[in-house]
Amino acid sequence: MIEKRFGDPVPDWVAPPRPDGAALQGRYVRLERLTESHAHMLFRANAGDDAIWDYLPYGPFASEVGYMRWVKDMAALSDPFFYTVIDRETGQPGGVMSYLRITPEVGVIELGHICLSPLLQRSRSATEAMVLMIGWAFGAGYRRFEWKCDAFNLPSRRAAQRLGLSYEGTFRQATIVKGRNRDTAWFAATDKDWPGLQAAYEAWLSPANFGADGQQNERLSDLTRLVRVSSDPIPVAGA
């Protein structure tokens, strides 16, 4: 048997485009480029739940002025590249998320800075927002989609696994956030995983998958399980 010395060739590689801020439209949500015009409604939506900032390097914000300043600063950046999550039924902004570590030359992009208000958490809208971000990345030609989180952030780990992203390890003492050590758990999907994930997302988001009471018939984690090449070793109930 001949030992393999190199990875597979990537012939005729063409770098994909960077995100351009075009709106991403789903059945339940629309993603718009974050602007200062979203700040007031986002601040109101986030009010009353300081825990949403626990694993982020900023927040909570004591005043709307402070939050508006943060939005202004983030909206001016190209990496991270922020979107506002807007509920299509109400037209109200309810959260933000971003692409970051955008590296078109090798086809890698990451999803992060996810901050969802209490009304969006654990909803079809929240899931669809993440699916739209993943779908744009692979549709644009990226080869690898990454998700990283604090190893103690079990809701984020559950979300990554539920979306069918494969666990790739934990980087010990990766950084310091808010004066605390952070071990970082890594998850990812590749373009080879995308066709299976896309089919799973479409099946789960279909209105036919939900009863009149809004309860799901099939869990997304069951639909994506066969796509994952590795699973999170930490028990994550509900994933």
Side-chain angles (χ1 to χ4, degrees):
M1 181 177 179
I2 299 175
E3 182 179 349
K4 189 172 182 178
R5 295 180 57 209
F6 303 109
D8 294 335
V10 185
D12 304 317
W13 167 249
V14 176
R18 300 181 69 87
D20 61 7
L24 305 179
Q25 190 92 328
R27 181 179 282 115
Y28 309 110
V29 295
R30 183 174 71 258
L31 302 186
E32 295 180 358
R33 182 76 163 106
L34 176 67
T35 69
E36 293 177 68
S37 66
H38 299 130
H40 174 67
M41 293 305 298
L42 285 169
F43 183 78
R44 289 184 57 186
N46 293 336
D49 187 9
D50 284 353
I52 63 177
W53 308 102
D54 282 354
Y55 296 105
L56 292 168
Y58 39 76
F61 296 89
S63 70
E64 184 171 345
V65 170
Y67 183 70
M68 292 185 73
R69 185 179 300 113
W70 177 84
V71 168
K72 180 179 180 180
D73 291 343
M74 294 302 104
L77 300 177
S78 59
D79 191 345
F81 192 93
F82 273 86
Y83 286 89
T84 304
V85 183
I86 298 175
D87 184 276
R88 288 192 61 189
E89 183 175 354
T90 66
Q92 299 302 312
V96 300
M97 53 185 64
S98 82
Y99 292 120
L100 68 156
R101 303 183 189 277
I102 304 164
T103 318
E105 57 268 27
V106 292
V108 178
I109 197 167
E110 182 179 339
L111 174 60
H113 294 283
I114 298 170
C115 185
L116 301 177
S117 68
L119 288 177
L120 267 183
Q121 293 172 17
R122 301 178 66 84
S123 69
R124 271 181 273 183
S125 296
T127 298
E128 185 181 54
M130 299 173 197
V131 166
L132 288 171
M133 298 282 278
I134 297 170
W136 180 88
F138 285 124
Y142 284 83
R143 304 175 62 238
R144 174 177 168 85
F145 187 91
E146 297 182 335
W147 175 299
K148 306 185 185 82
C149 63
D150 189 308
F152 283 104
N153 188 351
L154 295 186
S156 185
R157 296 179 74 147
R158 292 187 191 105
Q161 179 145 300
R162 178 171 171 268
L163 287 165
L165 307 182
S166 297
Y167 173 77
E168 295 187 335
T170 295
F171 284 34
R172 299 174 299 157
Q173 297 186 188
T175 188
I176 298 173
V177 177
K178 293 179 176 174
R180 301 185 299 262
N181 174 66
R182 176 176 134 162
D183 294 352
T184 297
W186 285 51
F187 298 82
T190 70
D191 53 359
K192 294 181 177 65
D193 305 325
W194 173 235
L197 292 178
Q198 184 178 29
Y201 298 155
E202 290 176 354
W204 189 83
L205 287 166
S206 170
N209 188 44
F210 296 87
D213 58 358
Q215 294 299 307
Q216 61 186 348
N217 298 319
E218 287 190 273
R219 300 193 312 170
L220 182 57
S221 57
D222 291 334
L223 294 168
T224 60
R225 182 173 290 117
L226 293 178
V227 183
R228 296 197 308 265
V229 300
S230 56
S231 298
D232 194 332
I234 292 181
V236 282

